[in-house]
Amino acid sequence: MTDLEAITRRAIDDWVDEPGALLPILHAIQDQLGYIPPSSVPRIARALNMTRADVHGVMSFYHEFRSEPAGRHVLQICGAEACQARGCRELEAHTQQRLGVGYHQTTLDGDITLEQVYCLGNCATGPSVRLDDRIIGRVTPQRMDRLLDDIATVPLTIQPAGGEG
Ligand code: FES
């Protein structure tokens, strides 16, 4: 049994007898893997006596569920009302153009997954974004460029310099 299968099996076993089991199962799998593998969907559907379309329907309704692994960084732009009033539409158009991806897509180099979210709890200082675990307010298109430049220029892992001392 692969890790994916084992994680899916455990999530199902933990929740299958609970009412409304689908969401906790999906969360349990995504918490561990970062996404819901396509091969998990028929297993979940069978266990809950649902169709695959039912499971896919719930996954696409709740945008936080991914059906493929995220990039090295996840960039979320808030599209809720307060951020709309502060210019998030311009910000999202600028960001999508700069990255060459739409929402829920990952840049070709695997660096950044772009997602839309509805409220990051930072409404007073919108437009707000979350970059990995960091919530950032007052993000103009220019500031977004700087954030993206920083991601591109900071090495993700620092390699130790050659072994000689
Ligand atoms: S509306 Fe954007 S953070 Fe709340």
Side-chain angles (χ1 to χ4, degrees), residues 26-108:
L26 293 174
H27 277 295
I29 295 171
Q30 180 150 306
D31 285 350
Q32 293 174 79
L33 296 174
Y35 73 112
I36 312 293
S39 61
S40 297
V41 171
R43 292 167 197 274
I44 298 168
R46 235 185 348 264
L48 298 182
N49 209 14
M50 302 171 82
T51 66
R52 294 179 200 192
D54 291 334
V55 178
H56 280 298
V58 169
M59 285 173 59
S60 53
F61 181 80
Y62 295 96
H63 292 295
E64 72 258 34
F65 295 119
R66 302 187 189 102
S67 52
E68 52 192 44
R72 284 182 282 280
H73 299 281
V74 176
L75 174 61
Q76 298 177 322
I77 299 179
C78 175
E81 207 168 309
C83 285
Q84 276 188 40
R86 293 170 182 268
C88 76
R89 292 286 174 242
E90 183 192 357
L91 178 66
E92 71 186 12
H94 176 83
T95 307
Q96 289 182 352
Q97 189 178 15
R98 156 124 187 204
L99 296 177
V101 296
Y103 279 133
H104 308 289
Q105 295 179 340
T106 300
T107 54
L108 279 180

Side-chain angles (χ1 to χ4, degrees), residues 75-151:
L75 174 61
Q76 298 177 322
I77 299 179
C78 175
E81 207 168 309
C83 285
Q84 276 188 40
R86 293 170 182 268
C88 76
R89 292 286 174 242
E90 183 192 357
L91 178 66
E92 71 186 12
H94 176 83
T95 307
Q96 289 182 352
Q97 189 178 15
R98 156 124 187 204
L99 296 177
V101 296
Y103 279 133
H104 308 289
Q105 295 179 340
T106 300
T107 54
L108 279 180
D109 58 7
D111 239 7
I112 300 171
T113 297
L114 183 64
E115 296 181 342
Q116 185 175 42
V117 290
Y118 288 93
C119 200
L120 292 165
N122 195 45
C123 317
T125 57
S128 296
V129 308
R130 174 160 45 204
L131 179 57
D132 299 323
D133 292 331
R134 195 158 54 114
I135 292 177
I136 307 158
R138 296 196 176 92
V139 182
T140 60
Q142 295 73 25
R143 189 160 181 214
M144 178 63 82
D145 281 341
R146 289 197 298 275
L147 290 171
L148 296 175
D149 287 345
D150 286 349
I151 290 177

